[in-house]
Amino acid sequence: MDLIDVIKAAGVIGAGGAGFPTHAKLTSKAEYILLNGAECEPLLRVDQQLMEQFPDEIIRGLEAAGRYIEARKAVIGIKGKHKEVVVLMRERITALGLSNYVEVMELRDIYPAGDEQVLVHELTQRIVPEASIPLKVGCVVINSETALNIAQAIAGSPVTETYITVAGDIPHRMTLKVPVGISIREVFKQCGVDNVDDYAVIDGGPMMGSVMNNLDGYVTKKSKGYVLLKKDHFLIRKKSVSVDRARVIGKTACEQCRMCTDLCPRYLLGHNMQPHKVMRALSYNLADVKDQQIAQLCCECNACELFSCPANLHPKSVNILYKQKLAEQGIRYQPTQLNFEARSAREYRLIPSKRLVAKIGLTAFDKPAPMTQIEFRPETIRVALRQHIGAPAIPVVAVGEQVQAGQLIGKIPDNSLGAAVHSSLSGSVIESTGDSIVIKVGSYV
Ligand code: SF4
Ligand code: SF4
């Protein structure tokens, strides 16, 4: 079978957050394939440990994807501070005889080193044009776990598990392999957190993740971590401010110092993202959202909101507000140029991760979260049919049917972008809705 068909059949999606179906990402040729091992979100510890545990698989998965798209070079980006991982990956590349094709490059410990466009620039010196994708400058970027999933797909295993870090203000921080579809509360219980009521939980990293309103959800293929913090922690209070409240505060308190712009990673790459201008528009109550198209250049990294703004305002949330208004009116940003140069001040304005962690009050929790083996024995799992960008999968099993671990339970609709969905455990189907399939897990003997 062709590699794309193998990846498609295994339901591989971008494990780094967005969940873009990987088979669709690999349909175009590119000069470089880049492995995003930056893991720049504070407290999350998945990628570095996966590279320690599965170096050969990750290198092989990256190589296979790279050869498929006819990339002339595969580059693995890892933060230089993870010295052992860098050494190990280089050793394994040599041992696998791939030194002519795969290379490790050390990334600086800055935020957001893992933003695709920042990563492309740090590894290749190229700049993705505004409102565009890395392919435009000859690059395809995949995440470490995605490369691992590609290798496992080649070995015949579909994606039924994901790796997550559970971190924050808890006694036992850890990184776990969990079956897709398990309840989030079950994960917390296994981490020794019985009473979640004391906590607010961020789904994903502390910078880009959002505070969960409801903890009754289920793990998906793109789950990356949960950060548990006391409800009165600065980060929780800041992230819980509604867009409406952010709008009102921003309107009255923005001093137009432009720190949000000067430190914006996309602005520093030469793009026209200038959040202070969007804030100014808000202050003047400018109804013409057409002039605020630059809001669409925001990658929502949250640096402006959680690090840069001295007045503790919410430029990212205001960008989101304008993005919504622009989308409602069907307006899309039109780039005015194709070639960009990083701003000369960029080198002096990068955000050091350690300072960021201190600024958002996480220094005390910035500790290892070691990979821990836990055998989960849930009574049921609920596997979502849309864990990815694109159309939801269509159920191919009916209520009452027995399924095996790894069996296809949802297929990609014809002529659509989507991803296949498999059962992570064996059992019988007890519910099938348009959104998810519930499986009563069989015995654990
Ligand atoms: S950093 Fe804050 S106060 Fe300064 S321009 Fe941006 S939003 Fe306004
Ligand atoms: S969230 Fe703020 S810092 Fe990040 S890209 Fe958007 S405007 Fe720039």
Side-chain angles (χ1 to χ4, degrees), residues 250 253-261 275-277 279-280 304 308-315:
C254 176
E255 58 205 41
Q256 285 293 291
C257 67
R258 63 168 282 158
M259 283 292 279
C260 50
T261 293
H276 78 285
K277 286 191 177 170
M279 293 296 279
R280 189 192 301 159
C304 51
S308 317
C309 178
N312 203 19
L313 303 182
H314 304 81

Side-chain angles (χ1 to χ4, degrees), residues 424-444:
S424 55
L425 294 165
S426 302
S428 51
V429 178
I430 58 170
E431 191 185 324
S432 176
T433 66
D435 296 331
S436 57
I437 292 175
V438 183
I439 293 162
K440 183 170 174 17
V441 182
S443 67
Y444 287 99

Side-chain angles (χ1 to χ4, degrees), residues 264-266 273 275 298-304 316 319:
C264 170
R266 291 293 172 97
M273 179 68 260
C298 171
C299 67
E300 300 176 22
C301 71
N302 235 340
C304 51
K316 181 215 69 178
N319 278 338

Side-chain angles (χ1 to χ4, degrees), residues 241-242 244-254 279 282 311-314:
V241 170
S242 69
D244 215 39
R245 178 104 186 104
R247 184 180 59 81
V248 174
I249 305 171
K251 206 168 166 173
T252 51
C254 176
M279 293 296 279
L282 187 76
N312 203 19
L313 303 182
H314 304 81

Side-chain angles (χ1 to χ4, degrees), residues 159-394:
V159 183
T160 58
E161 294 164 324
T162 187
Y163 289 84
I164 57 173
T165 295
V166 182
D169 190 2
I170 54 172
H172 307 294
R173 301 164 192 97
M174 54 183 87
T175 301
L176 307 152
K177 179 165 78 172
V178 298
V180 170
I182 194 169
S183 94
I184 294 168
R185 286 183 188 274
E186 175 78 16
V187 174
F188 294 154
K189 210 162 96 190
Q190 295 295 337
C191 293
V193 184
D194 287 328
N195 189 359
V196 199
D197 296 345
D198 289 348
Y199 292 100
V201 181
I202 298 173
D203 182 5
M207 290 301 288
M208 294 185 72
S210 49
V211 179
M212 297 174 77
N213 296 321
N214 178 1
L215 299 182
D216 295 329
Y218 298 83
V219 168
T220 70
K221 291 183 210 179
K222 59 180 185 181
S223 300
K224 206 70 182 159
Y226 300 102
V227 177
L228 286 78
L229 294 169
K230 294 282 158 49
K231 287 178 177 163
D232 61 353
H233 188 278
F234 156 77
L235 205 49
I236 301 300
R237 283 188 282 117
K238 181 88 194 251
K239 281 177 172 277
S240 301
V241 170
S242 69
V243 173
D244 215 39
R245 178 104 186 104
R247 184 180 59 81
V248 174
I249 305 171
K251 206 168 166 173
T252 51
C254 176
E255 58 205 41
Q256 285 293 291
C257 67
R258 63 168 282 158
M259 283 292 279
C260 50
T261 293
D262 287 342
L263 298 184
C264 170
R266 291 293 172 97
Y267 173 76
L268 292 172
L269 285 176
H271 290 187
N272 193 25
M273 179 68 260
Q274 299 191 60
H276 78 285
K277 286 191 177 170
V278 183
M279 293 296 279
R280 189 192 301 159
L282 187 76
S283 303
Y284 287 101
N285 207 5
L286 300 180
D288 188 4
V289 295
K290 207 153 60 57
D291 289 340
Q292 303 315 316
Q293 289 172 44
I294 53 170
Q296 293 176 326
L297 301 177
C298 171
C299 67
E300 300 176 22
C301 71
N302 235 340
C304 51
E305 202 156 304
L306 295 174
F307 185 84
S308 317
C309 178
N312 203 19
L313 303 182
H314 304 81
K316 181 215 69 178
S317 303
V318 172
N319 278 338
I320 291 177
L321 186 75
Y322 276 106
K323 276 184 183 182
Q324 286 163 354
K325 287 181 187 293
L326 288 160
E328 280 163 19
Q329 296 188 22
I331 301 170
R332 291 198 66 168
Y333 181 84
Q334 298 304 325
T336 50
Q337 59 189 95
L338 272 179
N339 299 314
F340 292 83
E341 257 183 51
R343 297 191 195 265
S344 54
R346 181 173 187 265
E347 286 304 302
Y348 315 105
R349 294 193 187 152
L350 299 171
I351 300 174
S353 297
K354 254 201 159 58
R355 281 186 59 193
L356 173 70
V357 167
K359 178 88 191 256
I360 58 178
L362 295 181
T363 304
F365 316 126
D366 190 15
K367 303 263 167 62
M371 192 72 83
T372 307
Q373 286 263 344
I374 288 182
E375 196 188 341
F376 289 93
R377 295 180 159 226
E379 286 180 14
T380 58
I381 50 170
R382 181 179 285 272
V383 185
L385 290 167
R386 186 191 217 149
Q387 306 180 35
H388 47 265
I389 289 177
I394 298 173

